[in-house]
Amino acid sequence: MDGTGVMTEAGVIPAPGGGSEAQAALHRVFGYETFRGDQEVIIEHVVAGGDAVVLMPTGGGKSLCYQIPALVRPGTGVVVSPLIALMQDQVDALRALGVRAGFVNSTQDFDERRVVEAEFLAGELDLLYLAPERLRLESTLDLLSRGKISVFAIDEAHCVSQWGHDFRPDYLALSVLGERWPDVPRIALTATATHSTHQEITQRLNMPGARHFVASFDRPNIQYRIVPKADPRKQLLAFLREEHQGDAGIVYCLSRNSVEKTAEFLTRNGVEAVPYHAGLDAGTRAAHQARFLREDGLVVVATIAFGMGIDKPDVRFVAHLDLPKSIEGYYQETGRAGRDGLPSTAWMAYGLNDVVQQRKLIQSGEGDEAFRRRAQAHLDAMLALCETARCRRGGLLSYFGQDPEPGGCGNCDTCLVPPETWDGTVAAQKVLSTVWRLDRERRQKFGALQIVDILLGRRTAKVIQFDHDQLSVFGIGEELTEGEWRGVIRQLLAQSLLAVEGEYGTLVLTEASGAVLGREREVPLRKEPPKPTVARSAASKGERSAKAAVELAPELLPVFEALRSWRAAQAREQGVPAYVIFHDATLREIAAARPKSVAELGTISGVGEKKLLTYGEGVLAVLAGLDGGAGPVPDAAPDPEWPEPADEPEPEPEGWA
Ligand code: ADP
Ligand code: ZN
């Protein structure tokens, strides 16, 4: 369809004067006033028939970059996406905007597929979503060649990268698109920012002539925080109660077992939470994912199997109870928070055991030496981010080759509460010489616990058994607490001044240790905070409910809440996620502007023509009928103790629901 033919009914929303067709579509279909960042240039380039490779962070607005060209150019836009489980929602969301969208994948039966195929051939689709494995089939290619295609969009394009975290072999077959349809522009999009992935995408998709658009990877609305791990579930609960009561969020754990336990723990303590991992059957996974997308304020506790393509805009926090394997992973996972641009938190609890466990995993894992070295390098970068005394955002951005703000970002824990550093050289020497002495005995190898007991001069059974109270280092470390010694060992491991060996996590010296023992190298360390820091953002203070409405004046909260419950009812009735009706950001604007007429409502960002026609009267009725206040938030039950399980980490995701 062309950009001006989108709407047939009364032109309630005037098109801005003198704009392009793309601008008209932005305004009428999506209800947005202006393009963001590079959107406009990208769209113009593709509309004119050019190929594009787009690197843009999650929430940056990639979808419009192919949806608008598909609306403006004649023919159907074909979107290749691995996210089969999300296609229905994506198509529902587009249909709610008045866009003629459909999908073809393995979840459909023959008849459903035939209907969509017929619509495509008849030129009745603006957008057609396809799973990559479909494009391997000659029958699919044949179908496509019998219709008219406006643009090929290759979403989640990093899936073509064999070294990346989401490799999908079917993506390799997409290089044929350019050969078979030389006149159809292609646009490849990803939120993965590394240089090597970028190059691989361009090569493997065979797009040498493409124009490249690399956006800033900063996510200014996400507050990054990494706290020392003590009792992670309780810390998580406190974090949720203090800052994210009633908010939707994702909690990442390493193992299936701890996913289950954490979800149970949260539920018992009054936080509604569901588990998600590859060990659950496909039906349960799909049901939990659907609940997360559809309900307001549900928490998903998950392994890394969860998350790619989840485009729920109002995820208010992402919490990590275990250390991710790389900065790429951390960035992707935390990036699922705050797509709508509203304040969100990336919170992680991190401690000595994380370092030991991850180092051990690499050593005992599969793969050759080169693979191990790469894994080690990824982990080292992640650890450096955890241990830094400087701006976390700065660390993230420089990892992706971007220049950070020189003065810090002002919205991460290290900027909000700068950590103290101290000269840990002597402490490091004490640890290293204890390790050295134990190593010299060669009778048995010991882990961090024993080292700490020896330094603190504790006559435990194991200390007595091995005569460790006879060592010259016994009791030489009484100036620090147990927690501080664990912090020293953790930081030495993170800096590779200590290493982990074997399945019991034995501590051993490294080549670099010698320089510390020989006093040739100083060891600056981060001070361990006595209690986990709670660096609250300004936005998180005050209100107990509806954190999404943070920027609203308190008297407007009841209005927002009323709109939200109206939206929830609509969503239930239609069986679609709430954000398909309106985003939180849009409801917030409506609450603040209190429009009195359909025309006024039409000026709100996110209210396009179709939505105005469908919901305009409903929204105005909610506003007109308002007089109540926000409902009370029930107090959660007290938190019982939970023992730490010993368990296996989730393997890399092998598929999706
Ligand atoms: P991505 O796919 O890059 O993660 P999306 O395409 O899902 O991002 O867009 C993120 C959010 O921003 C969505 O809620 C979308 O509706 C909104 N958005 C995108 N472009 C604009 C714009 N130009 N103006 C206002 N909101 C926008
Ligand atoms: Zn910062």
Side-chain angles (χ1 to χ4, degrees):
M1 95 170 67
D2 68 39
T4 48
V6 179
M7 296 302 153
T8 51
E9 282 137 296
V12 210
I13 302 177
S20 63
E21 278 185 73
Q23 212 126 30
L26 176 76
H27 195 64
R28 290 203 195 167
V29 180
F30 299 94
Y32 297 140
E33 206 58 46
T34 48
F35 285 111
R36 270 190 197 160
D38 281 344
Q39 276 177 336
E40 187 165 18
V41 211
I42 297 169
I43 289 168
E44 269 171 15
H45 177 71
V46 176
V47 166
D51 291 342
V53 173
V54 174
L55 273 63
M56 208 186 259
T58 303
K62 284 185 287 299
S63 325
L64 290 190
C65 295
Y66 58 84
Q67 287 167 351
I68 290 186
L71 292 173
V72 170
R73 284 176 62 92
T76 303
V78 173
V79 186
V80 182
S81 162
L83 307 163
I84 297 174
L86 299 172
M87 281 185 185
Q88 182 72 58
D89 282 350
Q90 283 172 328
V91 163
D92 285 346
L94 284 165
R95 289 189 175 250
L97 292 165
V99 175
R100 301 171 304 170
F103 67 88
V104 172
N105 68 32
S106 53
T107 65
Q108 290 164 310
D109 62 31
F110 179 72
D111 288 337
E112 287 172 318
R113 204 149 63 220
R114 264 228 330 238
V115 170
V116 181
E117 289 176 0
E119 284 175 339
F120 166 71
L121 291 174
E124 288 164 3
L125 286 183
D126 302 311
L127 280 158
L128 174 63
Y129 284 74
L130 286 183
E133 54 270 25
R134 288 270 133 197
L135 280 167
R136 285 212 149 157
L137 307 176
E138 195 47 45
S139 58
T140 309
L141 294 173
D142 185 56
L143 171 80
L144 293 182
S145 54
R146 282 185 291 134
K148 183 159 180 58
I149 298 170
S150 55
V151 58
F152 280 110
I154 300 157
D155 206 5
E156 312 289 351
H158 62 282
C159 290
V160 81
S161 157
Q162 269 164 320
W163 298 117
H165 35 81
D166 294 318
F167 177 54
R168 309 285 182 234
D170 289 315
Y171 263 66
L172 295 175
L174 299 181
S175 60
V176 307
L177 296 180
E179 291 154 26
R180 276 187 84 141
W181 285 276
D183 299 331
V184 176
R186 284 174 294 156
I187 174 170
L189 313 105
T190 179
T192 298
T194 51
H195 184 65
S196 56
T197 315
H198 185 178
Q199 280 187 321
E200 254 189 294
I201 290 174
T202 317
Q203 270 168 18
R204 292 185 194 272
L205 293 178
N206 192 14
M207 296 176 72
R211 206 173 139 185
H212 294 249
F213 299 89
V214 182
S216 163
F217 272 75
D218 189 14
R219 301 286 310 278
N221 60 313
I222 298 182
Q223 183 178 87
Y224 296 99
R225 282 157 42 192
I226 301 178
V227 305
K229 193 189 268 191
D231 185 340
R233 288 190 192 119
K234 277 195 186 168
Q235 286 173 284
L236 171 70
L237 187 64
F239 163 67
L240 297 186
R241 283 183 177 162
E242 279 167 38
E243 302 179 44
H244 288 288
Q245 189 97 253
D247 285 344
I250 308 174
V251 178
Y252 281 107
C253 302
L254 200 59
S255 74
R256 298 171 182 184
N257 186 21
S258 86
V259 162
E260 295 280 351
K261 297 265 155 78
T262 306
E264 255 173 66
F265 172 78
L266 289 178
T267 306
R268 266 193 296 120
N269 285 283
V271 178
E272 225 183 329
V274 292
Y276 189 106
H277 57 73
L280 294 169
D281 64 86
T284 309
R285 279 203 311 257
H288 288 180
Q289 174 176 297
R291 279 192 62 191
F292 180 66
L293 294 176
R294 277 163 179 69
E295 291 175 21
D296 279 333
L298 188 71
V299 174
V300 166
V301 185
T303 60
I304 46 174
F306 181 77
M308 185 176 46
I310 294 282
D311 53 4
K312 186 175 169 65
D314 56 353
V315 176
R316 291 272 69 83
F317 68 88
V318 169
H320 281 91
L321 292 191
D322 296 299
L323 184 71
K325 289 188 176 63
S326 65
I327 290 190
E328 283 92 335
Y330 174 72
Y331 180 80
Q332 290 303 327
E333 285 149 21
T334 54
R336 289 165 191 149
R339 271 182 189 242
D340 54 11
L342 296 175
S344 310
T345 320
W347 181 94
M348 174 158 92
Y350 152 81
L352 173 59
N353 286 344
D354 286 301
V355 193
V356 173
Q357 186 175 31
Q358 293 281 9
R359 290 256 193 254
K360 256 176 14 191
L361 274 176
I362 292 173
Q363 292 218 330
S364 58
E366 291 158 22
D368 56 9
E369 193 47 37
F371 183 86
R372 236 175 278 235
R373 257 205 306 278
R374 194 169 21 230
Q376 199 69 255
H378 279 157
L379 179 59
D380 285 341
M382 186 65 225
L383 291 172
L385 183 70
C386 291
E387 300 290 357
T388 186
R390 303 220 296 254
C391 174
R392 305 251 193 230
R393 188 182 312 276
L396 273 177
L397 292 179
S398 14
Y399 183 80
F400 292 122
Q402 230 180 289
D403 291 332
E405 291 278 318
C409 73
N411 193 26
C412 71
D413 54 356
T414 49
C415 281
L416 290 166
V417 184
E420 289 176 58
T421 53
W422 59 294
D423 181 0
T425 313
V426 173
Q429 286 166 347
K430 289 181 179 178
V431 170
L432 297 180
S433 39
T434 308
V435 171
W436 182 72
R437 264 165 243 269
L438 294 187
D439 194 31
R440 232 178 21 159
E441 296 186 357
R442 303 235 173 255
R443 278 186 289 158
Q444 184 166 346
K445 308 252 177 176
F446 300 92
L449 281 179
Q450 187 78 349
I451 309 283
V452 173
D453 284 341
I454 293 170
L455 286 168
L456 290 175
R458 289 175 173 163
R459 291 201 160 75
T460 64
K462 203 169 168 191
V463 165
I464 293 167
Q465 183 191 347
F466 293 98
D467 290 336
H468 286 165
D469 51 350
Q470 304 304 312
L471 294 173
S472 59
V473 289
F474 184 75
I476 60 165
E478 280 160 357
E479 73 278 18
L480 297 184
T481 64
E482 172 170 355
E484 286 166 334
W485 280 119
R486 289 176 68 85
V488 172
I489 295 174
R490 193 193 71 230
Q491 296 187 61
L492 293 176
L493 277 166
Q495 296 184 28
S496 290
L497 292 171
L498 262 183
V500 176
E501 218 178 62
E503 59 176 315
Y504 299 111
T506 306
L507 294 179
V508 293
L509 299 186
T510 67
E511 268 173 46
S513 310
V516 177
L517 285 167
R519 289 178 200 146
E520 292 145 32
R521 174 172 170 173
E522 292 194 347
V523 186
L525 294 176
R526 242 183 97 127
K527 207 166 226 163
E528 296 303 304
K531 262 185 21 182
T533 14
V534 179
R536 295 236 231 150
S537 66
S540 67
K541 289 182 189 135
E543 302 310 323
R544 274 160 48 87
S545 71
K547 284 294 166 343
V550 279
E551 281 158 29
L552 276 182
E555 67 273 16
L556 292 179
L557 272 173
V559 187
F560 177 76
E561 291 294 351
L563 289 166
R564 257 183 143 195
S565 37
W566 165 83
R567 181 183 66 178
Q570 293 292 324
R572 256 195 314 279
E573 208 169 284
Q574 299 172 38
V576 296
Y579 59 80
V580 167
I581 316 273
F582 283 122
H583 287 183
D584 276 359
T586 302
L587 292 190
R588 221 187 41 183
E589 250 193 73
I590 295 175
R594 287 273 202 139
K596 299 273 180 302
S597 66
V598 171
E600 266 177 61
L601 182 59
T603 64
I604 305 271
S605 178
V607 186
E609 201 153 293
K610 172 82 190 277
K611 294 223 171 146
L612 197 56
L613 286 166
T614 319
Y615 304 118
E617 297 299 339
V619 169
L620 293 175
V622 173
L623 295 177
L626 258 180
D627 56 321
V633 176
D635 275 327
D639 45 329
E641 200 69 44
W642 196 275
E644 272 307 311
D647 44 25
E648 289 294 300
E650 177 93 324
E652 298 295 332
E654 76 286 347
W656 44 88

